[in-house]
Amino acid sequence: MRRWTTVPVALALAVAGAAAVPAVASAATRPAAAQCAAGWGSLPKNDSSFTSNQLVNIRTGQNPCYDRLVFDVPGASDSRRVGYHVQYVDQLLQQGSGTPIQVKGGAVLEVVLNASAMDFGAGKPSYPGRVGQPLPGVDLTGYRAFTDAQFAGSFEGYTQLGVGVRARLPFRVFQLDDRLVVDVAHDWGATG
C-alpha cells in the first residue's frame, strides 16, 4: 500500500514542478537574436518634414525584441508627414533655454518632433506634458530598454523629450498613418 501512496506524491511533485516551468521558461520564450536582427544602428535619424498638426498623446509598448514609443499626431499622413530628429546625446538640453533636464539611464535618446504640443487656435496645450517631468500616463516599469522618459517642452512648433535607455542601443523611427513610432532594441543582436 505504501508503494501506491508514494507514486501519487511523486506525481503531484512532478506536476507541481511542471506548473512552475512557464515562469522559469519565460526567458526561453524570448526570440533568438537571429529572429530579431535587422541592423538599425544608433546614429541620428532625421526627417525634415513639418506638419501643422499637433501632438496629442505619447504612449509606450513592449515587444519581445524592442520597447516602443508612439506619438499620436491626428491628421498626419503620408502626404502630411511628421518630421523628427532622434539622436543619442550626452545630456538633454531644453530647446530655447538650454536648461539641462535630468534623464535616468545609461544613455539619453533625444526625440525632437516637428509638431507642436500646443493648440494655438484654442490657446492651450494639446499634450499635457510639463517640462522636466515624466511623461503623463507613461509607466516604464518592467521595460527592458527604457528607464525614463522626460518631457522637455514645446518651442516654436517643435516638441522635445528625453528617453532614458539602459545603454546606447540601436533604434529605428517611422510613421504609421497619424503616428510616429520610435523603437529601441533590447540589445545589439535583437532588432526586428
Side-chain angles (χ1 to χ4, degrees):
M1 210 38 101
R2 185 168 206 127
R3 181 199 241 172
W4 289 103
T5 59
T6 57
V7 172
V9 170
L11 182 60
L13 289 174
V15 170
V21 170
V24 175
S26 63
T29 60
R30 291 186 188 134
Q35 292 174 309
C36 294
W40 299 341
S42 64
L43 295 176
K45 294 166 179 59
N46 301 287
D47 182 327
S48 60
S49 303
F50 199 85
T51 182
S52 59
N53 300 76
Q54 289 94 31
L55 171 70
V56 298
N57 192 30
I58 302 173
R59 51 200 163 92
T60 60
Q62 297 180 63
N63 180 281
C65 297
Y66 52 83
D67 291 348
R68 173 170 281 185
L69 271 169
V70 178
F71 301 87
D72 293 318
V73 184
S77 64
D78 282 342
S79 61
R80 298 185 70 161
R81 295 192 55 76
V82 177
Y84 55 84
H85 180 74
V86 182
Q87 67 177 350
Y88 281 102
V89 294
D90 293 331
Q91 183 177 35
L92 183 65
L93 301 175
Q94 183 184 22
Q95 292 179 3
S97 72
T99 303
I101 296 176
Q102 294 299 317
V103 182
K104 298 174 195 145
V108 177
L109 188 64
E110 178 187 43
V111 179
V112 178
L113 202 65
N114 298 359
S116 180
M118 285 293 297
D119 182 342
F120 296 108
K124 62 181 184 176
S126 58
Y127 176 73
R130 297 185 57 180
V131 174
Q133 298 296 313
L135 300 180
V138 171
D139 180 5
L140 299 176
T141 304
Y143 281 68
R144 291 184 56 209
F146 297 157
T147 57
D148 192 14
Q150 298 286 322
F151 189 71
S154 194
F155 181 72
E156 296 185 348
Y158 298 90
T159 300
Q160 179 190 28
L161 64 123
V163 181
V165 180
R166 182 174 40 81
R168 187 179 172 128
L169 296 168
F171 68 94
R172 68 177 173 180
V173 183
F174 60 95
Q175 185 168 337
L176 289 172
D177 299 322
D178 55 359
R179 302 178 299 280
L180 187 75
V181 177
V182 177
D183 291 334
V184 178
H186 293 156
D187 58 55
W188 276 92
T191 55

